[in-house]
Amino acid sequence: MNVDVAVVGAGPTGLLLACELALAGVRTRVFERRTAPQRDSRALSLHPRSVELMDQRGLLDRFLPLGRPVPGWHFAQLPTHLDFSVLDSRHGYTLFLAQAHTEALLAERARELGVVIERGYEVDGLSQDGDGAEVKVRGRDGSVATIRARYVVGCDGGRSVVRQAAGIAFPGTDESLTGVLGDFAVTDPAALDAARARGVLVAPMEDGIVRLVYIDPERMRVPAGEPVSLEEFRESLTRLCGSDCGVAEPRWLSRFGNATRLAESYRAGRVLLAGDAAHIHFPAAGQGLNTGLQDAMNLGWKLAAEINGWAPPGLLDSYDTERRPVGQMVTENTEIQTLLAELTLVPQYQRPATALRTLFDELLGMPQVNRTLAARVSAIGTAYPPTTPGADPLVGRRMPDIGLTAAGSEAVRVYELLPAGRYVHLDLAGDAPELGETVTAGWGTRVTPVAVTTRDTHPDLDGVTEILVRPDGHVAWATRTADARARRAERHEALTAWAGTPS
């Protein structure tokens, strides 16, 4: 069996990656160890940048009806929440949505694009050479098949078999702290306020289900692999809150730890990593699933360009260059949040730790501090380093989703121009009549040229005359050169650097 890309893991990261590859015509097959789709709620949040990604691919209408927008989000369980509503985004909220729904919607989209999702297959071996890789997968009946792929992407979680087989180191720290969560059909609403006041995270979910999350000082060293019983959950709640909060009919109980690791590299030859296979951490502020989705969005179009033969030199390597620092930032901020919680539970540190949390909470009350952390946790503030000296300040940042009118078309938003997964070249000055013909003739279906006649104002775009938006919504190139003739050389250089040699 030969494919362009074998994706190992059918969680949110693997499914979105498969969608991105298939969108570009890449033959993709997904192999998943589980025999059935995810049923547990698991991760609950799509943060603003992830919501934007769904918007960019025209999928948001599928997600919004199933979720609940929440404008504020927690940082280290401090009383003052991060305010996502002030961010420069049309989606200044977290969409509260069970991971099971996210996976189902992405799987639906993947199948629409022709992706085959093989369930009940475990990786049994992996080798690679200069032209591709071979993956041995064992089916539920014990049979072994060999898949030849040009590339293999491990999206198979923190214990990634792909990562281990590729010999990619996974340095970091072992688990030293665990927390517990439970989703319950029955709770005592009157007791939940007391639980919140005692540091228990209370999250209402769909169909009346309520999630409770806590760290019990007397049980916080229990290994994450030890199952959680309803009896233990009730005993811990009673110890923490003076009541078991009437919990009954648990839908899911889980223990989770603070092991924190970051892959030494996100690529080893023909093997790449994304999601938890590349980074694991305590689930502070709900960043794990979101970071994985953003890995997939960054990798998909670059890997597709490589396979389709037009990627400029270094484009695929930029996946590691851009996303590994983001993974490091996430692992570091989750360690900070975990420490702020853990120290208050250790008697000898309780007093200074409480004072430290009070100080942090006061800082979160400052608008600039709150906005900075909100941008970081939500990933709205994610910006990739420019690849050339003297690049415009916009390069690497998210493109603002401004409204605009293109020549001969109705009003649209920038993100409405991105569902095809191509670059979008915007002539904001409206003085380059040859741009459309030049771009189409030179870069065909890789780039969509748009001659803008009117647009919304945005302070970041003052003076910008042309801008090249990447398929993932970040800015590849921008210029403020006023003279249309002078811009031609700049434009050609930028398009060649990002979209490859013109045809």
Side-chain angles (χ1 to χ4, degrees):
M1 181 191 302
N2 292 328
V3 294
D4 290 325
V5 180
V7 175
V8 181
T13 301
L15 291 170
L16 181 59
L17 177 62
C19 290
E20 287 295 290
L21 292 168
L23 190 64
V26 174
R27 295 174 303 145
T28 305
R29 212 169 188 92
V30 179
F31 297 91
E32 168 55 49
R33 176 179 55 82
R34 294 174 296 163
T35 58
Q38 181 64 253
R39 301 299 182 194
D40 296 328
S41 50
R42 301 183 72 83
L44 292 180
S45 56
L46 289 182
H47 285 337
R49 184 55 182 158
S50 297
V51 176
E52 287 188 343
L53 300 185
M54 301 309 159
D55 191 7
Q56 289 172 192
R57 290 299 182 261
L59 300 175
L60 191 53
D61 287 347
R62 305 186 190 199
F63 285 80
L64 285 178
L66 299 178
R68 178 169 59 90
V70 180
W73 200 247
H74 63 89
F75 184 86
Q77 288 294 100
L78 293 168
T80 302
H81 282 192
L82 301 176
D83 185 2
F84 288 167
S85 69
V86 302
L87 297 172
D88 181 22
S89 172
R90 294 179 186 270
H91 305 292
Y93 55 84
T94 277
L95 188 65
F96 222 57
L97 183 68
Q99 180 175 328
H101 289 315
T102 298
E103 288 191 16
L105 292 170
L106 291 174
E108 175 185 67
R109 178 57 175 158
R111 285 190 292 268
E112 290 172 0
L113 292 168
V115 175
V116 177
I117 302 171
E118 304 276 13
R119 296 192 177 275
Y121 285 88
E122 292 193 58
V123 172
D124 201 41
L126 185 153
S127 61
Q128 60 173 310
D129 53 40
D131 298 319
E134 287 191 350
V135 184
K136 290 184 178 180
V137 294
R138 185 179 299 276
R140 68 189 78 176
D141 61 356
S143 62
V144 176
T146 299
I147 290 81
R148 177 74 182 178
R150 295 175 65 181
Y151 287 89
V152 176
V153 185
C155 303
D156 51 339
R159 297 183 178 88
S160 173
V161 176
V162 172
R163 184 189 64 242
Q164 295 174 45
I168 299 175
F170 202 39
T173 57
D174 292 331
E175 172 189 297
S176 62
L177 170 79
T178 57
V180 173
L181 67 80
D183 296 344
F184 297 95
V186 177
T187 58
D188 176 4
L192 294 180
D193 286 339
R196 289 188 182 93
R198 301 295 179 87
V200 176
L201 175 64
V202 180
M205 298 165 60
E206 61 184 321
D207 300 327
I209 305 296
V210 175
R211 170 169 293 184
L212 302 180
V213 188
Y214 62 79
I215 301 174
D216 180 351
E218 294 189 19
R219 302 283 294 169
M220 65 183 183
R221 308 302 180 195
V222 176
E226 183 172 316
V228 183
S229 67
L230 178 58
E231 180 182 8
E232 177 192 348
F233 208 100
R234 284 173 166 161
E235 288 177 355
S236 290
L237 282 178
T238 301
R239 201 159 37 241
L240 294 170
C241 311
S243 162
D244 69 1
C245 298
V247 296
E249 299 183 26
R251 301 300 173 86
W252 186 46
L253 298 172
S254 179
R255 199 185 313 273
F256 52 91
N258 68 332
T260 302
R261 296 185 178 278
L262 180 68
E264 199 166 68
S265 174
Y266 282 18
R267 181 185 180 188
R270 295 278 173 161
V271 178
L272 298 109
L273 305 175
D276 288 354
H279 41 75
I280 60 169
H281 50 82
F282 203 66
Q287 296 170 89
L289 180 149
N290 291 279
T291 307
L293 290 176
Q294 292 147 29
D295 288 344
M297 196 70 160
N298 186 287
L299 174 59
W301 62 277
K302 295 175 179 177
L303 184 53
E306 185 73 24
I307 288 170
N308 288 330
W310 59 261
L315 183 66
L316 185 55
D317 285 334
S318 73
Y319 168 62
D320 178 270
T321 303
E322 292 184 344
R323 291 305 300 173
R324 193 174 179 280
V326 174
Q328 183 169 353
M329 182 274 293
V330 171
T331 56
E332 289 175 352
N333 88 52
T334 54
E335 286 181 311
I336 291 169
Q337 293 183 69
T338 306
L339 186 62
L340 283 172
E342 181 181 3
L343 288 178
T344 62
L345 306 177
V346 180
Q348 64 264 41
Y349 299 127
Q350 194 166 38
R351 186 187 60 77
T354 300
L356 183 61
R357 286 179 63 85
T358 299
L359 174 60
F360 264 80
D361 194 58
E362 290 176 1
L363 292 173
L364 283 182
M366 300 177 181
Q368 186 57 46
V369 174
N370 194 298
R371 190 184 187 104
T372 298
L373 274 179
R376 183 170 297 180
V377 169
S378 69
I380 291 295
T382 297
Y384 301 128
T387 56
T388 56
D392 190 272
L394 278 175
V395 171
R397 293 165 55 187
R398 293 165 45 257
M399 174 65 191
D401 187 24
I402 59 169
L404 56 85
T405 303
S409 72
E410 298 179 354
V412 295
R413 294 180 292 108
V414 170
Y415 289 1
E416 290 178 300
L417 300 171
L418 291 170
R422 303 170 184 167
Y423 289 97
V424 172
H425 190 112
L426 301 173
D427 173 18
L428 299 182
D431 61 354
E434 82 290 349
L435 184 142
E437 183 178 340
T438 300
V439 171
T440 302
W443 289 271
T445 59
R446 305 174 215 166
V447 184
T448 300
V450 179
V452 178
T453 54
T454 62
R455 66 174 177 87
D456 293 343
T457 59
H458 191 287
D460 291 344
L461 299 177
D462 289 348
V464 176
T465 49
E466 290 186 30
I467 192 163
L468 181 65
V469 183
R470 302 175 2 169
D472 59 5
H474 285 258
V475 176
W477 166 78
T479 182
R480 297 171 199 258
T481 301
D483 183 71
R485 290 185 178 182
R487 290 203 304 272
R488 290 175 185 169
E490 289 184 52
R491 181 192 309 143
H492 187 276
E493 183 179 356
L495 286 166
T496 302
W498 283 98
T501 304
S503 54

